[in-house]
């Protein structure tokens, strides 16, 4: 309808057309979206470009946001969702802050009021005061479009912001009228990411000297190191240091690598650690979980975000991309030398930690059953649940990005819709959603989405008829009084089958193995309910927040 003539001459386009063409220019092949009045014009533009961009719907705006989050988290590339303004974007805001908090490039597209009524207090449909201000509080950057001639620039800038420096979420709101307004507009231009700052040789030299002089170094990695697996492994092997990951850094170093440590192993060496090299992580373990700080600890931080150096000051700080910083340190160590190796100690510590992890039952037995069936490249999407907490240290992860969590937001109910986004991005790879009964019912209606769009996620619902963590905390902290944590649940198998999703019920880890093999072979979405007696699960927090 509105084609570019190839020489940059402006052609008539609607605002919706311009936005869709800008998405295509940025290699977006899928958008997760739920239609509504203010964004009808965007949906019409999407409908006319179905040959180039797929629109995946949902039954709730929050699911649109989480599907985009799962897509972006699993790929490391931008993903986009679109919902109506006001209650629509507020419904999706939990997913937006989850993405931003996890340094994941998600773009939210939404509408705004009509030009003639904007900011007049007339309370038109879905209007909230200062929606742009709300979006700016939730994201790395948010912009506004009033006219089709502004759309390409604003959307392109949103992509640039997402992918420059420390990645994060962005948002663009567009006036209701603009989506259908026609104006002469040139083809969109892709803005390159802002180049990373050059690595400071003096900072690298100082850090390398500290590493060379240490006797018990330990490396910690977070989300920022997900694209630096090879470089981190090379650096770790050179200095003989274990690499500890908590949530965002899982898979950067495979758990079956001798230096791949979970928090359960890392905490055993923490008191004797004299140097912590933190790469792409805010290092939550230091002051929020392990609390004790060794007296002679030297702290080195490698992070793309210079503000991080003020949030947690270090002995030496290197403002750099994780991969570039790790390579620079490795090169500098050729001059300064490396610490003495501790291979036997590291191996025995890892073995002792594995024995302690096996005490967390029945969660770890179920996680072992899952790991036996799920291929190395398969995705494990956790949930805020007893099984999700145990997975932080009890589920082996072998490749970057294959464990997907909600990061520090700890968003209950994120897991199942996020897994749908992962599966949309990787339809040929197995995707497993592991959730609790409480969290699953936040988005159980998206079983319909899984069926409609052929998103063959296998979902395991661990049903203990409670918000299990709340139940344990209330019992322990408030003299046995509980309130609001004991649940009345549906028949999950019948619920699943009512959506056309086959389901099974199991009660033992050995039964789960067989059920998973059945589910992954089904060629459809599938659900497995695991019935766990309330209060029967071991406390995973003894390894997540130990008394060090």
């Amino acid at each position: 309808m509105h084609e570019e003539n190839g020489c940059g001459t402006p052609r008539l386009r609607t605002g919706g057309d311009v936005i869709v063409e800008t998405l295509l220019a940025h290699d977006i092949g899928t958008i997760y979206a739920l239609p509504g009045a203010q964004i009808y014009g965007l949906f019409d533009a999407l409908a006319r470009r179905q040959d180039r961009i797929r629109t995946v719907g949902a039954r709730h705006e929050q699911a649109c946001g989480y599907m985009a989050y799962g897509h972006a988290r699993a790929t490391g590339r931008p993903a986009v969702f679109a919902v109506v303004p006001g209650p629509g974007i507020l419904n999706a805001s939990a997913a937006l802050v989850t993405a931003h908090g996890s340094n994941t490039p998600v773009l939210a597209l939404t509408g705004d009021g009509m030009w003639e009524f904007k900011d007049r207090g007339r309370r038109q449909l879905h209007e909230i005061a200062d929606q742009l201000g709300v979006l700016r509080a939730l994201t790395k950057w948010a912009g506004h479009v009033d006219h089709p001639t502004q759309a390409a620039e604003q959307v392109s800038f949103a992509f640039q912001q997402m992918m420059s420096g420390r990645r994060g979420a962005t948002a663009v709101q567009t006036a209701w009228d603009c989506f259908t307004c026609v104006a002469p507009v040139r083809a969109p231009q892709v803005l390159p990411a802002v180049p990373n700052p050059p690595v400071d040789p003096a900072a690298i030299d100082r850090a390398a000297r500290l590493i060379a002089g240490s006797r018990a170094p330990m490396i910690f990695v977070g989300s920022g190191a997900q694209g630096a697996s090879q470089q981190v492994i090379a650096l770790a092997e050179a200095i003989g240091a274990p690499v500890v990951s908590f949530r965002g850094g899982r898979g950067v170093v495979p758990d079956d690598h001798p230096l791949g440590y979970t928090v359960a192993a890392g905490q055993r060496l923490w008191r004797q650690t004299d140097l912590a090299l933190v790469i792409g992580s805010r290092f939550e373990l230091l002051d929020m979980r392990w609390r004790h700080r060794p007296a002679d600890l030297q702290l080195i931080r490698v992070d793309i975000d210079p503000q991080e150096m003020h949030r947690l000051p270090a002995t030496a700080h290197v403002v750099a991309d994780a991969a570039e910083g790790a390579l620079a340190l490795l090169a500098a160590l050729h001059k300064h030398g490396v610490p003495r190796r501790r291979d036997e100690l590291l191996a025995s510590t890892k073995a002792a930690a594995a024995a302690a992890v096996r005490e967390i039952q029945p969660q770890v037995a179920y996680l072992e059953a899952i790991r036996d069936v799920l291929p190395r490249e398969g995705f494990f999407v956790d949930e805020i649940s007893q099984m999700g907490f145990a997975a932080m240290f009890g589920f082996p992860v072998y490749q970057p990005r294959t464990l997907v969590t909600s990061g520090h937001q700890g968003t209950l109910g994120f897991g199942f819709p996020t897994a749908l986004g992962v599966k949309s991005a990787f339809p040929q790879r197995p995707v497993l959603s592991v959730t609790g009964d409480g969290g699953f019912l936040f988005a159980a209606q998206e079983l319909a989405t899984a069926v409609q769009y052929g998103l063959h996620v296998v979902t395991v619902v661990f049903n203990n008829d409670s918000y299990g963590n709340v139940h344990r905390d209330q019992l322990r902290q408030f003299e046995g009084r509980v309130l609001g944590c004991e649940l009345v649940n549906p028949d999950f198998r019948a619920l699943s089958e009512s959506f056309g999703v086959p389901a099974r019920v199991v009660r033992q880890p050995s039964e789960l193995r067989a059920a998973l093999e059945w589910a992954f072979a089904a060629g459809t979405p599938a659900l497995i309910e695991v019935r766990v007696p309330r209060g029967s699960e071991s406390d995973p927090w003894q390894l997540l927040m130990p008394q060090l």
Side-chain angles (χ1 to χ4, degrees):
M1 178 180 177
H2 305 297
E3 294 298 324
E4 177 66 36
N5 66 5
C7 62
T9 302
R11 299 295 300 273
L12 291 177
R13 291 173 172 82
T14 68
D17 288 330
V18 177
I19 291 173
V20 171
E21 290 175 14
T22 308
L23 298 181
L24 291 172
H26 288 83
D27 296 322
I28 298 298
T30 302
I31 182 171
Y32 303 94
L34 200 158
Q38 293 90 343
I39 59 173
Y40 281 161
L42 176 61
F43 265 76
D44 183 58
L46 289 167
R48 287 184 275 106
R49 298 310 301 268
Q50 292 182 74
D51 61 324
R52 300 268 320 268
I53 188 167
R54 183 190 190 203
T55 301
V56 175
R59 301 306 177 93
H60 193 280
E61 288 96 351
Q62 190 172 98
C64 292
Y66 279 131
M67 285 193 288
Y69 171 64
H71 186 128
R73 188 72 182 167
T75 62
R77 297 292 305 155
V80 182
F81 74 93
V83 295
V84 296
I89 194 64
L90 292 178
N91 280 342
S93 62
L96 198 57
V97 296
T98 300
H100 189 52
S102 299
N103 310 317
T104 303
V106 169
L107 169 60
L109 299 176
T110 190
D112 192 26
M114 293 183 179
W115 293 324
E116 62 179 308
F117 298 117
K118 184 171 175 57
D119 298 330
R120 289 180 54 194
R122 297 291 294 141
R123 299 181 183 179
Q124 58 180 319
L125 180 65
H126 297 162
E127 182 179 9
I128 59 174
D130 192 19
Q131 176 177 276
L132 186 59
V134 173
L135 293 173
R136 285 173 173 163
L138 302 178
T139 61
K140 184 177 181 181
W141 177 88
H144 176 82
V145 175
D146 267 329
H147 192 267
T149 54
Q150 302 170 330
E153 179 184 39
Q154 289 292 288
V155 174
S156 291
F157 191 69
F159 276 96
Q160 184 184 56
Q161 288 293 302
M162 277 194 293
M163 300 302 290
S164 297
R166 183 175 184 170
R167 295 182 179 183
T170 59
V172 175
Q173 68 175 33
T174 301
W176 190 336
D177 318 56
C178 178
F179 285 115
T180 53
C181 174
V182 175
V185 182
R186 288 186 171 86
Q189 299 296 310
V190 174
L191 302 177
V194 176
N196 293 329
V199 180
D200 182 358
I204 289 292
D205 189 73
R206 174 168 171 72
R209 287 177 183 273
L210 290 171
I211 294 169
S214 68
R215 66 177 188 280
M218 192 181 295
I219 299 173
F220 297 84
V221 291
S223 293
Q226 281 291 338
S229 177
Q230 293 181 354
Q231 295 84 356
V232 170
I233 291 173
L235 179 60
E237 290 176 344
I239 64 177
V243 182
V244 179
S245 57
F246 176 37
R247 279 182 302 230
R250 295 296 307 279
V252 170
V253 176
D255 282 324
D256 56 359
H257 188 288
L259 298 176
Y261 268 40
T262 66
V263 291
Q267 63 193 235
R268 290 173 170 266
L269 293 179
W270 178 237
R271 281 189 175 271
Q272 56 188 278
T273 297
D274 68 337
L275 183 138
L277 170 57
V278 183
I279 303 175
S281 171
R282 63 193 171 90
F283 203 19
E284 175 183 346
L285 294 173
L286 177 66
D287 51 3
M288 299 184 190
R289 296 205 176 259
W290 290 354
R291 308 279 175 106
H292 172 80
R293 181 169 181 156
D296 60 346
L297 183 73
Q298 303 289 319
L299 178 60
I300 301 172
R301 300 199 65 190
V302 178
D303 204 289
I304 194 67
D305 184 359
Q307 294 186 39
E308 275 297 309
M309 308 310 175
H310 301 290
R311 298 181 183 120
L312 181 63
T315 313
H317 50 80
V318 178
V319 178
D321 167 77
E324 294 172 357
L327 282 178
L329 284 173
L330 186 60
L333 287 168
H334 290 307
K335 177 174 68 173
H336 295 295
V338 296
R340 292 183 61 183
R341 300 194 69 86
R342 301 173 293 155
D343 295 347
E344 290 186 11
L345 173 64
L346 299 186
S348 63
T349 300
K350 190 168 183 175
V357 166
R358 283 193 291 273
E359 297 297 317
I360 307 300
Q361 297 294 349
Q363 297 100 305
V364 170
Y366 281 114
L367 291 171
E368 288 174 346
I370 292 170
R371 186 69 275 178
D372 286 348
V373 178
L374 187 68
R376 287 180 76 91
E377 75 278 8
F379 290 93
F380 182 108
V381 185
D382 78 0
E383 178 58 83
I384 303 305
S385 66
Q386 294 305 291
M387 202 58 55
F389 293 139
M392 292 182 191
F393 54 79
F395 183 75
V397 183
Y398 302 131
Q399 294 184 14
R401 302 192 181 281
T402 54
L403 175 68
V404 180
T405 82
S406 59
H408 77 272
Q409 287 295 331
T411 325
L412 184 61
F414 96 101
F416 178 54
T418 294
L420 296 179
V422 175
K423 188 64 175 180
S424 175
F426 290 100
Q428 303 306 316
R429 288 168 64 175
V431 178
L432 182 71
S433 171
V434 173
T435 180
D437 50 311
F440 179 66
L441 285 180
F442 274 51
Q445 74 280 352
E446 303 306 332
L447 287 168
T449 302
V451 171
Q452 182 174 355
Y453 295 96
L455 303 175
H456 300 165
V457 169
V458 173
T459 303
V460 182
V461 180
F462 287 87
N463 179 9
N464 58 13
D465 291 311
S466 65
Y467 294 121
N469 213 58
V470 177
H471 186 261
R472 177 186 291 112
D473 286 348
Q474 289 184 339
L475 284 175
R476 289 185 176 178
Q477 299 177 31
F478 301 98
E479 301 177 334
R481 292 183 297 275
V482 298
L483 181 65
C485 61
E486 297 178 340
L487 305 176
V488 175
N489 281 315
D491 180 330
F492 283 104
R493 179 173 184 172
L495 175 66
S496 180
E497 290 175 345
S498 74
F499 284 95
V501 176
R504 289 189 178 180
V505 178
V506 304
R507 293 175 174 81
Q508 300 291 335
S510 59
E511 296 175 351
L512 180 58
R513 279 186 179 86
L516 285 169
E517 290 170 351
W518 159 80
F520 282 120
T524 68
L527 183 140
I528 301 167
E529 178 190 357
V530 181
R531 292 184 179 167
V532 182
R534 180 189 295 153
S536 66
E537 295 143 309
S538 297
D539 182 4
W541 291 98
Q542 59 187 289
L543 295 180
L544 291 175
M545 294 193 73
Q547 299 298 313
L548 294 180

